[in-house]
Amino acid sequence: MENFKELIPIRENNGKRAVNARDLHAFLESKRDFSNWIKDRIKAYDFIENQDYQVFNNFGENPKGGRPSIDYAISISMAKELSMIENNERGKQARKYFIACEEHKHELSRKELALMVIQAEEEKERLQMENRNKNNWMNLKSGSLLNDTQKRMV
């Protein structure tokens, strides 16, 4: 499975995790042409643009010449579903990988939450100590003022 991670990198896209549909298509070893494969899957399974996927024109060099290619950044959920419906061994591997990625994401979220709780507790303790120091200083200052006033009265 680690080798799979190298074959289909998961990237951040507008704050969400996404997979390049061309990379997934290649991994799944689909016999169909990419552009027809992705368009047919989007139509047949009612995927929603800007929710399940985003379309990008790739203006880089096209080795075959002609028009720029169109790339699709697809959500992990869409990638998992496309893998499942491919109905082959590579699809099963990809689906299991995406499930593991989702579980790992939740683990990280829990760890981040725990870290936030710890940081909040440390901040609370720091503020309490700061308040105690201010109160002590104020008490000391008012005590010395009282002493000065008492000395003047005598």
Side-chain angles (χ1 to χ4, degrees):
M1 280 302 179
E2 285 304 310
N3 194 23
F4 176 77
K5 189 173 186 177
E6 295 168 13
L7 293 174
I8 302 180
I10 295 175
R11 298 179 183 94
E12 289 289 323
N13 182 47
N14 294 331
K16 296 180 181 176
R17 295 169 55 182
V19 172
N20 183 311
R22 287 182 186 277
D23 293 342
L24 178 61
H25 177 262
F27 180 82
L28 294 173
E29 298 175 345
S30 176
K31 306 282 187 246
R32 298 187 61 204
D33 168 68
F34 171 75
S35 62
N36 290 325
W37 176 81
I38 192 70
K39 288 174 190 173
D40 290 347
R41 294 292 196 244
I42 287 169
K43 186 177 178 182
Y45 295 93
D46 298 322
F47 291 116
I48 301 168
E49 188 170 359
N50 296 324
Q51 180 179 330
D52 297 309
Y53 67 95
Q54 290 186 333
V55 180
F56 299 94
N57 287 318
N58 187 350
F59 292 106
E61 267 189 49
N62 188 342
K64 296 179 182 176
R67 290 185 239 159
S69 62
I70 296 176
D71 284 328
Y72 295 79
I74 61 175
S75 68
I76 300 297
S77 295
M78 181 174 172
K80 185 171 56 174
E81 190 168 344
L82 289 174
S83 300
M84 186 173 61
I85 61 179
E86 198 62 29
N87 201 23
N88 65 15
E89 192 56 38
R90 298 288 274 189
K92 288 178 190 175
Q93 291 173 357
R95 180 179 163 274
K96 287 178 183 177
Y97 170 75
F98 290 124
I99 289 170
C101 288
E102 286 176 335
E103 289 171 357
H104 181 67
K105 179 185 172 201
H106 294 303
E107 285 175 21
L108 289 177
S109 296
R110 283 189 220 112
K111 287 178 185 175
E112 290 169 352
L113 183 59
L115 180 62
M116 289 170 55
V117 168
I118 291 168
Q119 289 172 338
E121 285 295 321
E122 289 173 349
E123 179 69 6
K124 179 181 167 185
E125 288 174 17
R126 186 188 66 76
L127 290 171
Q128 286 173 337
M129 185 178 287
E130 193 175 289
N131 279 341
R132 267 186 253 127
N133 288 341
K134 280 183 184 178
N135 287 337
N136 289 341
W137 185 80
M138 294 296 284
N139 289 339
L140 246 158
K141 189 173 180 181
S142 53
S144 78
L145 284 175
L146 283 175
N147 288 337
D148 288 345
T149 308
Q150 287 171 347
K151 288 176 186 174
R152 284 188 200 131
M153 295 177 103
V154 174

